[in-house]
Amino acid sequence: MAQNWSKSGWRSKPSVQMPAYPDLESLAMVEKQLSQFPPLVFAGEVRQLRQELARVCRGEAFLLQGGDCAESFEEFNADSVRDTFRILLQMAIILTFSAKRPVVKLGRIAGQFAKPRSAEFEIKGDKKLPSFRGDIINEIDFNEAARVPKPGRMLQAYTQSAATINLLRAFSQGGYADIHRLHAWTLGFTEGEEAKKYQDLSCRITDALDFINAAGLNSDRIGGLKRVNFYTSHEALLLNYEEALCRIDSTSGEPIAGSGHLVWIGDRTRQPDGAHVDFCRGVQNPIGIKCGPSLSPSDLCVLLDRLNPSNEEGKILLISRFGAGKVSDHLPALIQSVKNIGANVAWCCDPMHGNTVKSKSGFKTRRFDCVRSELSEYLAVHNAEGSYPGGVHFEMTGKDVTECTGGVSAVSDENLKDRYHTFCDPRLNSTQSLELAFLLAEEMSRLHPPAPRRAIKA
Ligand code: PEP
Ligand code: CO
């Protein structure tokens, strides 16, 4: 167990972005109830994800992490879960084919409810109210009562997460079969040179899959298409919820966060001496750290030492998010400091959170070109530094929303109002997500030919 750690130790550390619950009695009751519920994930699964991330760390696998910015109570239904699962699987197949490496699939799902906010308050006209902090904390409606943090919402988040993970387990164990119909996915790409390129690639992938089928190789082992390992992740922001779901792994005697397979520490809550780092340093789960422009190389080294003192592979995922045009200002120094101290980490790029802008029509949006550009810069910097760009992290949905602009489907500023459904940040829609997977696949196959295979012993 980590030194001087207890699951409630975070309570005596300085914390930011946490709600001040007015009803402490109800808070204590909810925490007690949650602490008696079964965990949502199990220690064996967490260990398995760590092994998969260790492969990412060594350059043998690639990570795809994605899902909603914020899950919501209102939008929850089986179709949304299926759509997110399906689009992530589709992207994973494209990436596996091009990167010639297994792709680790990690949803931002079944727990991604609490949101850090840049502003404490939201102002509309002459009314000023506390900000919406995600459905697990308060309500999005713009009135006084809605914005009061209510502990009971944690129970609803738990129930929704349990139902979500139940469905994901069913899908990933073979309940979702039509993943082979790749050509159908690209029907949305109808015009232009780019569209043709995507269709060509999807034909090549379909051919390869057909060949595997025809040759009778389509076992569960080959390509892992029938059964997939699908993991969950979210930001460990609401520490009352995290503490209440923390459990002791009966095999190792070590604590695990029972709320999701991987939890990450946000860019606003990664103070080395703060509450969030303190909670995360004690659990066995792999831990993500968001690395934004204000993260200094020396703070990163302190964080790595605190969160992974024995320098294990597969424990730390560094998720960089600087914004297009800024990657080369920040990432090289972080990569060098990680190298200098010999830290084992997997790198991942979140090209979303540094690229949020306000559109002319007033919507929070992201331009597809900026997302694409940050990804290219990330690949180029890692290539120049001789380190492995292990994965990507997207805010995306399997639905046809209009929240980010651009891409072959050419969502314009004027289109944003049509299907702007997000509860927080703008997400890539299904066509934009697939398009990025194709673009990324293309760039990766140019920059990173597969690692030489080890000789197979007879
Ligand atoms: C997020 O991933 O939703 C988020 C808030 O990210 P960051 O901490 O990088 O701003
Ligand atoms: Co977000």
Side-chain angles (χ1 to χ4, degrees):
M1 185 145 0
Q3 278 185 348
N4 302 322
W5 184 88
S6 78
K7 63 181 179 178
S8 57
W10 62 269
R11 292 177 188 263
S12 60
K13 307 280 178 199
S15 66
V16 289
Q17 298 284 345
M18 293 274 289
Y21 289 104
D23 187 348
L24 294 178
E25 210 172 299
S26 144
L27 176 63
M29 253 165 54
V30 166
E31 287 175 341
K32 180 152 184 274
Q33 230 176 329
L34 277 175
S35 69
Q36 291 162 347
F37 286 170
L40 296 168
V41 299
F42 301 96
E45 300 167 341
V46 166
R47 278 195 290 273
Q48 193 173 302
L49 174 59
R50 277 183 63 157
Q51 280 165 15
E52 293 199 24
L53 289 175
R55 298 185 73 191
V56 174
C57 182
R58 295 193 295 268
E60 300 164 3
F62 191 76
L63 171 73
L64 172 64
Q65 184 177 14
D68 289 331
C69 175
E71 289 174 270
S72 84
F73 294 167
E74 197 183 309
E75 295 265 295
F76 176 58
N77 57 54
D79 287 358
S80 301
V81 177
R82 182 206 55 207
D83 291 346
T84 301
F85 179 78
R86 177 172 53 196
I87 189 81
L88 280 166
L89 244 60
Q90 290 171 335
M91 294 168 80
I93 288 185
I94 296 167
L95 293 171
T96 309
F97 183 81
S98 306
K100 306 282 185 282
R101 287 175 173 85
V103 171
V104 182
K105 299 161 225 30
L106 182 60
R108 280 177 68 112
I109 198 165
Q112 178 48 24
F113 289 101
K115 298 310 301 173
R117 303 312 304 260
S118 352
E120 277 288 297
F121 294 95
E122 184 179 347
I123 300 169
K124 273 190 193 165
D126 55 6
K127 207 163 167 184
K128 179 175 164 187
L129 290 176
S131 292
F132 170 59
R133 292 189 172 272
D135 269 354
I136 195 171
I137 294 173
N138 58 6
E139 288 167 68
I140 200 165
D141 292 352
F142 195 72
N143 65 66
E144 198 94 41
R147 294 296 170 91
V148 175
K150 295 174 198 77
R153 300 181 73 82
M154 282 191 262
L155 297 174
Q156 192 171 344
Y158 171 88
T159 308
Q160 180 167 324
S161 300
T164 302
I165 217 161
N166 180 49
L167 209 50
L168 289 171
R169 286 206 168 95
F171 289 147
S172 58
Q173 291 313 303
Y176 187 77
D178 70 345
I179 205 68
H180 284 252
R181 296 173 55 246
L182 189 77
H183 52 281
W185 314 341
T186 48
L187 291 180
F189 302 130
T190 46
E191 281 166 43
E193 266 307 293
E194 300 274 274
K196 186 163 174 329
K197 259 191 341 209
Y198 306 149
Q199 276 156 0
D200 287 349
L201 182 55
S202 79
C203 284
R204 282 168 51 213
I205 302 176
T206 308
D207 278 352
L209 293 174
D210 286 350
F211 168 73
I212 290 171
N213 266 335
L217 298 172
N218 193 15
S219 74
D220 286 350
R221 276 188 317 122
I222 307 239
L225 292 173
K226 271 249 177 81
R227 281 167 191 250
V228 296
N229 293 337
F230 189 91
Y231 301 98
T232 61
S233 66
H234 63 272
E235 178 172 350
L237 184 69
L238 184 56
L239 296 176
N240 308 74
Y241 180 80
E242 300 302 334
E243 177 188 334
L245 286 176
C246 184
R247 299 286 180 276
I248 299 295
D249 165 13
S250 56
T251 313
S252 66
E254 296 283 348
I256 69 152
S259 58
H261 296 111
L262 175 146
V263 290
W264 75 82
I265 305 172
D267 197 45
R268 296 167 186 79
T269 51
R270 56 171 161 66
Q271 300 75 21
D273 295 316
H276 293 87
V277 171
D278 189 70
F279 178 80
C280 289
R281 81 186 171 89
V283 293
Q284 292 305 295
N285 309 56
I287 303 292
I289 307 172
K290 288 292 197 97
C291 306
S294 65
L295 177 61
S296 67
S298 57
D299 265 2
L300 176 58
C301 293
V302 175
L303 285 172
L304 293 174
D305 183 48
R306 232 154 256 188
L307 292 163
N308 190 20
S310 46
N311 198 19
E312 282 170 49
E313 284 181 343
K315 171 71 189 177
I316 300 287
L317 177 68
L318 295 181
I319 310 167
S320 66
R321 34 85 83 219
F322 301 113
K326 299 190 197 135
V327 181
S328 58
D329 297 340
H330 303 282
L331 188 55
L334 297 183
I335 295 176
Q336 281 152 22
S337 63
V338 164
K339 272 197 192 154
N340 288 344
I341 59 169
N344 289 315
V345 303
W347 286 101
C348 172
C349 171
D350 162 3
M352 314 302 295
H353 287 89
N355 291 309
T356 316
V357 291
K358 200 166 196 172
S359 74
K360 275 194 229 99
S361 47
F363 287 97
K364 213 169 118 163
T365 188
R366 289 161 172 153
R367 287 180 39 216
F368 186 87
D369 284 348
C370 294
V371 172
R372 176 183 181 173
S373 171
E374 178 158 0
L375 276 179
S376 304
E377 292 165 38
Y378 159 79
L379 294 176
V381 166
H382 276 286
N383 204 41
E385 298 294 329
S387 69
Y388 177 60
V392 286
H393 178 124
F394 297 125
E395 284 189 345
M396 45 171 277
T397 163
K399 295 197 179 307
D400 182 26
V401 299
T402 52
E403 297 169 8
C404 294
T405 57
V408 280
S409 57
V411 176
S412 67
D413 252 27
E414 292 69 49
N415 296 140
L416 288 174
K417 62 176 183 329
D418 298 346
R419 289 178 302 285
Y420 194 94
H421 296 157
T422 183
F423 272 64
C424 196
D425 289 339
R427 301 160 296 178
L428 300 164
N429 64 24
S430 56
T431 315
Q432 290 166 331
S433 303
L434 278 185
E435 183 172 6
L436 265 189
F438 281 120
L439 288 168
L440 189 63
E442 197 178 79
E443 285 212 33
M444 286 200 321
S445 56
R446 252 188 302 119
L447 278 176
H448 294 277
R453 286 177 205 286
R454 293 202 192 100
I456 300 168
K457 289 201 185 111

